[in-house]
Amino acid sequence: MDGLRFSDDPADLDVDRVHRWLSEESYWARGRDRATQDAIIAGSRNFSVHDDVTGRQLGYARVITDGVTFGWLADVFVDAEVRGRGVGTALVRGVTEAIEPLGLKRFALFTADAHGLYERFGFRPLPDVAGWMMRPGPGFGTDVHD
């Protein structure tokens, strides 16, 4: 993590930057409004990676968890300007190390890309996807990947 600083302090978040990244650049949260993003941040454990010299936030991730049995890694995003420089690795390493002491029975995520990154930190395809179900909310299409 040379030149990078991992943080689990919500005060370190550049919430304007996080909202812009997710609502304008991500494939999964495009168009997300600011009030929704603020509520998401408030209801999650939030993590970030920053340039150690400038302090500029370079990446963001969050975990939704009960803190005992289940966690969901979501909204993992690295600024396009610094992709390929280890920021994603530092972010996922920091998150998994922060969550590990909880001893969660299940720690899951959904991704359309970056499988190799997550596999380096112990994530594997679900062995029994037939057992997982989802109840889509309003505005969610028939495709569970919307």
Side-chain angles (χ1 to χ4, degrees):
M1 283 195 20
D2 258 359
L4 301 175
R5 179 179 59 85
F6 175 80
S7 177
D8 62 357
D9 184 349
D12 284 340
L13 293 179
D14 181 338
V15 294
D16 294 327
R17 180 177 296 246
V18 169
H19 178 251
R20 187 172 57 255
W21 281 338
L22 297 176
S23 68
E24 296 176 11
E25 299 180 41
S26 76
Y27 65 82
W28 64 89
R30 190 169 305 271
R32 183 183 284 168
D33 66 71
R34 180 59 186 264
T36 299
Q37 185 62 49
D38 290 346
I40 285 169
I41 288 172
S44 302
R45 289 184 65 167
N46 299 277
F47 305 92
S48 53
V49 169
H50 304 260
D51 181 290
D52 204 21
V53 175
T54 66
R56 180 174 161 245
Q57 185 173 335
L58 305 174
Y60 171 75
R62 67 188 179 97
V63 173
I64 306 98
T65 183
D66 60 13
V68 180
T69 63
F70 184 81
W72 185 270
L73 177 58
D75 288 342
V76 179
F77 193 91
V78 172
D79 190 318
E81 293 178 15
V82 297
R83 289 183 190 151
R85 298 184 192 167
V87 174
T89 299
L91 184 58
V92 176
R93 176 180 289 117
V95 170
T96 55
E97 288 175 358
I99 295 301
E100 188 75 25
L102 299 177
L104 302 177
K105 183 176 181 179
R106 291 182 181 90
F107 189 30
L109 63 85
F110 178 86
T111 186
D113 57 9
H115 293 81
L117 169 64
Y118 298 115
E119 286 173 351
R120 283 188 272 163
F121 295 97
F123 288 92
R124 301 288 180 259
L126 292 173
D128 179 18
V129 294
W132 284 80
M133 297 181 72
M134 186 173 110
R135 182 174 183 259
F140 199 82
T142 56
D143 180 358
V144 296
H145 303 104
D146 281 349

